[in-house]
Amino acid sequence: FSLVEGPMWLIDLYKNTTGNYTYASLNAFNFFAMLGDNLRQDSETFVLFSYKVWGYAFIVLTVLYTAVIYIRGKGRHLTYLGGLLLSLGVFVLSVRMHERYMFPAMFFLLALFVMTQDKRALALYGVASFTSFTNVYAVLEKMLRLGDGHLYMSDIAIRIITQVFSAINVILLIYVLAWAWKVANPARINKNHLLSCKGRPDRDEDLRPEDAKPKTGSNGAGLRGALPRIRAGRIDVIIMAVMTAVYLVIALINLGGFEVPQTEWLAEKVTQGFIIELPQETYVKRLSYYCGLGEKGDYNVWVMDSEGQYELLDEKIKDDEFYKWRALDISRNVTSIKVQARDIKGSLLEIALFGEDTEKPLEITLKNLDGTPVEKGDPLYNLIDEQDIAKYTHTFMTGTYFDEIYHPRTAYEHLHKIRPYEWTHPPLGKILIAVGIKLFGMNTFGWRIIGTLCGAAMIPLMYMFGLKLFKKSFYGFCAAFLMMFDLMHFAQTRLATIDSYTTFFVILMCYFMMDYYLNKSYTRGFVRSLVPLFLSGLFFGLGAATKWSALYAAPGLAVIFFLAKYHEFKDYWHYKRLSADERPAWVKRFIPAYWYGTLLSCVVFFIIIPAAIYLLSYIPYLQVEGIAFKDIFEYQKRMYNYHSGLEATHSFQSPWWSWPLIIRPIWYYKALDMPAGLVSTISSLGNPAVWWAGLAAYFYALKEAVVKRKKALLLVIPIISQILPWTLISRAAFIYHFFPIIPFMMLAVVYVIKKLENKGLERKWVYAYLALVLVLFIAYYPVVSGLTIPRVYAEFLELFPSWVFWN
């Protein structure tokens, strides 16, 4: 080729080829595709710089990190490790990537597995192979079927697949970067991760730290109460992954959609308006309009008949909802409709007319009030530019329901630096909702997805909680199963409110505090013993920055902490009485390090860090013009006054004592304009097999705690700590306030299962109970998911007069 084309032909070929792929991502499941930017020109701006600049910067950082790994590491596998970092890092982080550019990473992972026998390399290969296959399949299947292999983000299914699998690849890269730091040096590879490693040692199921006999190791270190640390093994990881994947499949079905109008029109003065013209006199049944920010804007509406006379309608267009279709009944023959603003607070995103065909809007044109046509580019044109997604009526798939009128709206305002509408709770929950909106757009899927993923994450977390407390994979499975098929967990995490995040953070803060209790600090060493305390304090801060009710767990955390120190003091005094030769080395350091040092650290972990997180969560407020740092403290006063002085009542409120009995579920949504005999409804209630069993298990655990069964005490403390404040609150409360408490009721159920099995209960009866939980979830799934069902079935599910699933 060089003889024919000249010596520079190869360089020109490469330049021309790369110049043809000027996209942030060219169908590759990577970081930019995760943001929804597949096929976006890389010359466009992304956070100050262009995608191209960011791509090159990421390449430089990848090369530098690879060089550091290569320099600090040792062994013949380093070349392959470097190849992995370069190939995977560039694929995930750079621009102009094809779907097939991930192939080399899989070769390097297999080579690393062969050379190091590290099982994690094989697991990472499995993940990379799965996502790479999905990526290539998505492109080739579309190419063969339609002749166009590009993955367009306007297609809802393609967008979901692209962003979900791109996120998996991003997580894969993050793990590989951390794993490479350890595997670079063979001496750092944990023997438990090697293929030849045997299974984890048998666990002492019933031994409690406080019951262990004093022992002294050969090196003189005290080992009183030192239990083998319980870690998730390969089987545990597989079980958790399968359960989470199954739950996600169920939870993502009809979670939300992308067909939400995006462009808006806002009247600048009350004399502004528009005229909707029809090609000819037509019967109009309904005028549908999509509300924007919901600032209670009003519009007068006139309809013109065939004689050219306008008639003012009694009913107005009321823009008093947030991101939701509303309707104005017309039910007459008209030739045009005139709309004029009465109040300029609200905004409209789309407007459409429907006749007898409720699926397809009528063809219309828009004019200014003076009769001049509205052209593309005119702000008014935004009202009719998305007619293909116009809807006759509202459903939960196309707009907000229940408290979504507050939290997604505030998330939207945070993204656009607008003064927040909802300020009665701290900002972090709304910031997390805003992450979903940023990734997937301002639509029902975007503002619900992060809460749903948070709900999915609760399943492996409950598995780990059960495993840690009861030391058997089966009990971890039981805890995760109860969470997986609890009805409130399903309904609440699919609703874009902040309670999902509160519950998630409460579980985590208690998990790490119990981890501190179950493992003596002096057996871990001072610095390592602080890690669970730091993590508990971190999630305590995140919970407080989401909702004040997360603070209710604080007394329970304190009690568990001081119980742990009490048992350690007993050990300390035991060894203190021994001779100097028999006394373990840690005894000398116990008071200055394990007591005073730990207390001082707790001040940092549970006061300073949470306070910093809380203040940092208000950064979106400080980006709004007119809000200063001192105003944050004024918002705290307003929050307190609001909640302490709230006297409003609600038809679905319920007292705290009724929550575990499921006396009054809360009804969130019902669909309008349903065919006769059919209903679509969403309620939030507990799974009776979980909640009623949990209440009985709680009282059993309470009895066990009284007779000094310390593990039972660990379960009842978080329950009492969180329910007690509600007994003192007189304001309206709802059953969903029980959500952060129910995980510990589930653990109490598992505690009882373990006790019964120890007394001879056959495992088949446990499976029968779990099957009942699943059956009830399936039975009530329609009324927590919005599925369309016969009305008689909804009536059948109403076990008590206070249960309402239709009206």
Side-chain angles (χ1 to χ4, degrees):
F1 285 99
S2 297
L3 293 175
V4 177
E5 303 290 343
M8 296 298 293
W9 78 274
L10 186 59
I11 295 175
D12 293 335
L13 177 64
Y14 275 113
K15 287 171 59 179
N16 294 335
T17 302
T18 56
N20 291 332
Y21 303 147
T22 57
Y23 301 104
S25 173
L26 187 57
N27 306 321
F29 288 172
N30 62 9
F31 174 71
F32 292 119
M34 182 186 71
L35 302 179
D37 296 325
N38 189 51
L39 301 180
R40 187 183 296 275
Q41 288 291 325
D42 63 7
S43 58
E44 295 184 30
T45 300
F46 171 72
V47 190
L48 301 180
F49 305 108
S50 67
Y51 290 93
K52 184 178 180 180
V53 170
W54 280 112
Y56 289 163
F58 285 140
I59 289 177
V60 172
L61 291 175
T62 301
V63 172
L64 290 176
Y65 185 79
T66 304
V68 171
I69 292 292
Y70 199 87
I71 292 170
R72 69 181 292 273
K74 60 176 64 175
R76 61 192 182 94
H77 68 295
L78 277 180
T79 302
Y80 298 89
L81 185 61
L84 170 64
L85 293 173
L86 290 173
S87 56
L88 185 62
V90 172
F91 173 81
V92 173
L93 297 176
S94 187
V95 296
R96 306 184 180 188
M97 291 292 110
H98 281 298
E99 69 282 353
R100 58 188 180 273
Y101 288 2
M102 191 173 173
F103 288 168
M106 291 184 285
F107 163 74
F108 290 121
L109 281 167
L110 281 181
L112 286 166
F113 170 67
V114 171
M115 302 181 78
T116 65
Q117 294 296 297
D118 190 330
K119 293 182 294 185
R120 292 171 295 183
L122 192 60
L124 293 171
Y125 170 80
V127 175
S129 178
F130 178 55
T131 59
S132 183
F133 170 81
T134 306
N135 199 168
V136 174
Y137 179 86
V139 173
L140 295 184
E141 188 276 337
K142 190 169 181 290
M143 171 68 76
L144 293 172
R145 180 167 50 88
L146 301 176
D148 181 1
H150 290 323
L151 305 178
Y152 297 105
M153 296 296 96
S154 56
D155 186 308
I156 297 175
I158 288 178
R159 183 185 182 99
I160 293 175
I161 292 172
T162 299
Q163 293 190 292
V164 168
F165 280 90
S166 296
I168 295 174
N169 278 337
V170 171
I171 295 171
L172 173 68
L173 174 63
I174 294 172
Y175 186 90
V176 165
L177 293 176
W179 172 70
W181 189 263
K182 295 181 179 180
V183 81
N185 188 339
R188 291 177 173 266
I189 300 178
N190 191 322
K191 292 183 179 179
N192 292 327
H193 294 135
L194 297 182
L195 186 64
S196 58
C197 173
K198 296 181 179 180
R200 56 177 179 265
D202 292 338
R203 297 160 177 167
D204 187 342
E205 298 178 27
D206 299 310
L207 183 62
R208 300 189 304 274
E210 57 274 12
D211 296 333
K213 300 300 181 183
K215 297 177 182 178
T216 303
S218 58
N219 60 354
L223 297 177
R224 176 179 168 83
L227 296 177
R229 296 197 63 190
I230 305 302
R231 297 182 182 274
R234 180 173 53 186
I235 299 300
D236 296 312
V237 172
I238 293 173
I239 294 172
M240 286 188 284
V242 170
M243 295 181 76
T244 305
V246 170
Y247 175 81
L248 269 177
V249 169
I250 300 171
L252 291 176
I253 295 174
N254 289 334
L255 173 64
F258 295 93
E259 293 186 344
V260 172
Q262 299 297 314
T263 57
E264 68 175 3
W265 172 73
L266 173 64
E268 297 178 352
K269 49 188 177 181
V270 293
T271 57
Q272 277 191 305
F274 51 88
I275 297 173
I276 307 171
E277 284 205 346
L278 292 151
Q280 58 192 13
E281 185 177 19
T282 307
Y283 176 77
V284 177
K285 187 175 183 180
R286 175 174 292 181
L287 184 155
S288 294
Y289 56 95
Y290 202 85
C291 302
L293 280 180
E295 292 285 358
K296 301 185 184 300
D298 286 352
Y299 305 81
N300 282 326
V301 180
W302 293 264
V303 296
M304 179 185 286
D305 57 21
S306 57
E307 298 179 359
Q309 299 297 316
Y310 273 117
E311 177 187 349
L312 177 64
L313 299 182
D314 293 333
E315 191 177 355
K316 316 295 182 187
I317 290 179
K318 292 186 176 296
D319 184 19
D320 56 356
E321 297 279 5
F322 174 75
Y323 271 68
K324 181 186 297 185
W325 284 106
R326 295 202 65 185
L328 185 67
D329 182 64
I330 305 294
S331 298
R332 67 186 72 190
N333 292 321
V334 298
T335 57
S336 67
I337 298 176
K338 181 170 69 173
V339 179
Q340 187 171 357
R342 296 178 68 239
D343 194 316
I344 60 173
K345 291 182 179 179
S347 64
L348 298 174
L349 274 69
E350 196 71 16
I351 196 163
L353 301 182
F354 288 88
E356 296 295 348
D357 184 356
T358 60
E359 297 297 322
K360 184 178 180 181
L362 298 171
E363 183 180 344
I364 59 175
T365 57
L366 214 59
K367 290 185 176 181
N368 292 295
L369 291 179
D370 61 6
T372 58
V374 173
E375 304 290 345
K376 286 186 177 180
D378 190 307
L380 265 174
Y381 193 80
N382 292 339
L383 290 176
I384 59 170
D385 64 340
E386 298 170 279
Q387 292 287 290
D388 58 320
I389 62 172
K391 301 298 180 184
Y392 178 77
T393 189
H394 163 66
T395 73
F396 72 95
M397 293 289 289
T398 60
T400 55
Y401 68 97
F402 193 63
D403 279 355
E404 286 187 340
I405 61 174
Y406 303 119
H407 301 122
R409 172 176 175 171
T410 305
Y412 172 90
E413 290 165 337
H414 286 335
L415 288 171
H416 292 83
K417 301 180 181 180
I418 301 172
R419 185 177 291 269
Y421 174 75
E422 192 280 314
W423 46 264
T424 59
H425 298 291
L428 183 59
K430 279 85 73 175
I431 294 173
L432 293 172
I433 294 173
V435 172
I437 294 173
K438 183 67 176 176
L439 291 175
F440 296 98
M442 188 60 192
N443 50 63
T444 54
F445 185 88
W447 63 63
R448 293 173 190 155
I449 181 60
I450 301 300
T452 304
L453 293 176
C454 183
M458 292 181 196
I459 294 168
L461 179 55
M462 287 296 291
Y463 188 102
M464 291 299 300
F465 221 140
L467 181 63
K468 180 174 290 294
L469 286 175
F470 307 116
K471 302 179 178 63
K472 265 194 175 181
S473 298
F474 177 71
Y475 300 125
F477 167 79
C478 289
F481 191 90
L482 297 181
M483 179 63 78
M484 185 177 178
F485 294 114
D486 179 57
L487 295 165
M488 176 169 282
H489 168 255
F490 182 83
Q492 211 64 41
T493 57
R494 283 165 45 99
L495 175 67
T497 58
I498 58 178
D499 300 278
S500 302
Y501 311 115
T502 307
T503 301
F504 182 65
F505 293 137
V506 167
I507 297 173
L508 279 167
M509 67 178 78
C510 292
Y511 174 86
F512 286 108
M513 183 56 75
M514 290 188 189
D515 178 72
Y516 182 80
Y517 175 90
L518 292 170
N519 296 276
K520 300 291 188 181
S521 62
Y522 54 74
T523 63
R524 282 183 166 178
F526 175 64
V527 174
R528 290 185 63 195
S529 72
L530 297 180
V531 173
L533 290 177
F534 165 75
L535 292 173
S536 181
L538 175 68
F539 290 111
F540 173 70
L542 293 172
T546 302
K547 197 172 185 179
W548 279 2
S549 58
L551 296 171
Y552 297 164
L557 296 178
V559 170
I560 294 172
F561 170 78
F562 284 109
L563 275 176
K565 302 316 289 185
Y566 165 73
H567 291 301
E568 290 184 2
F569 259 105
K570 288 171 62 178
D571 297 346
Y572 169 73
W573 289 115
H574 169 81
Y575 287 113
K576 184 78 171 174
R577 291 193 293 268
L578 300 179
S579 64
D581 293 336
E582 297 179 303
R583 194 179 301 158
W586 61 264
V587 173
K588 184 178 180 180
R589 300 179 59 237
F590 183 80
I591 296 298
Y594 294 103
W595 177 240
Y596 290 119
T598 301
L599 288 180
L600 182 61
S601 299
C602 285
V603 172
V604 177
F605 298 159
F606 290 93
I607 298 178
I608 296 176
I609 291 179
I613 292 172
Y614 192 89
L615 288 175
L616 288 172
S617 72
Y618 276 87
I619 288 177
Y621 280 64
L622 299 178
Q623 293 181 319
V624 177
E625 186 177 354
I627 297 182
F629 183 77
K630 61 181 179 60
D631 296 324
I632 294 177
F633 302 97
E634 183 61 31
Y635 273 109
Q636 310 312 303
K637 291 170 56 179
R638 291 174 62 187
M639 255 194 286
Y640 175 78
N641 293 334
Y642 171 82
H643 290 292
S644 61
L646 184 64
E647 297 180 355
T649 59
H650 194 283
S651 57
F652 285 92
Q653 70 185 62
S654 55
W656 65 270
W657 56 265
S658 70
W659 296 340
L661 297 173
I662 326 177
I663 291 178
R664 187 60 165 166
I666 186 168
W667 191 22
Y668 285 148
Y669 164 82
K670 72 171 181 178
L672 303 175
D673 302 306
M674 292 296 293
L678 298 178
V679 296
S680 171
T681 183
I682 298 177
S683 296
S684 184
L685 72 159
N687 186 319
V690 177
W691 286 38
W692 293 342
L695 182 61
Y698 162 72
F699 284 114
Y700 177 81
L702 186 62
K703 185 264 295 183
E704 291 278 288
V706 171
V707 297
K708 297 184 179 180
R709 301 291 185 187
K710 300 302 189 300
K711 194 162 290 183
L713 190 62
L714 290 178
L715 297 175
V716 300
I717 287 173
I719 296 173
I720 295 174
S721 176
Q722 293 185 82
I723 199 67
L724 192 60
W726 288 108
T727 66
L728 308 174
I729 293 174
S730 59
R731 55 152 287 181
F734 303 90
I735 192 172
Y736 63 76
H737 289 130
F738 195 62
F739 190 24
I741 303 171
I742 194 60
F744 304 98
M745 304 284 279
M746 295 173 180
L747 291 170
V749 171
V750 180
Y751 176 78
V752 172
I753 289 174
K754 182 176 184 297
K755 285 288 183 180
L756 291 175
E757 285 199 329
N758 289 343
K759 293 180 180 180
L761 180 72
E762 294 185 40
R763 181 66 58 84
K764 66 179 181 180
W765 296 111
V766 180
Y767 287 128
Y769 167 68
L770 297 180
L772 176 62
V773 171
L774 177 58
V775 168
L776 287 176
F777 176 83
I778 294 172
Y780 280 87
Y781 170 81
V783 296
V784 295
S785 66
L787 192 68
T788 300
I789 54 173
R791 190 185 71 185
V792 293
Y793 184 68
E795 292 175 334
F796 170 75
L797 294 176
E798 294 176 347
L799 297 183
F800 306 103
S802 58
W803 289 24
V804 178
F805 300 141
W806 74 279
N807 189 346

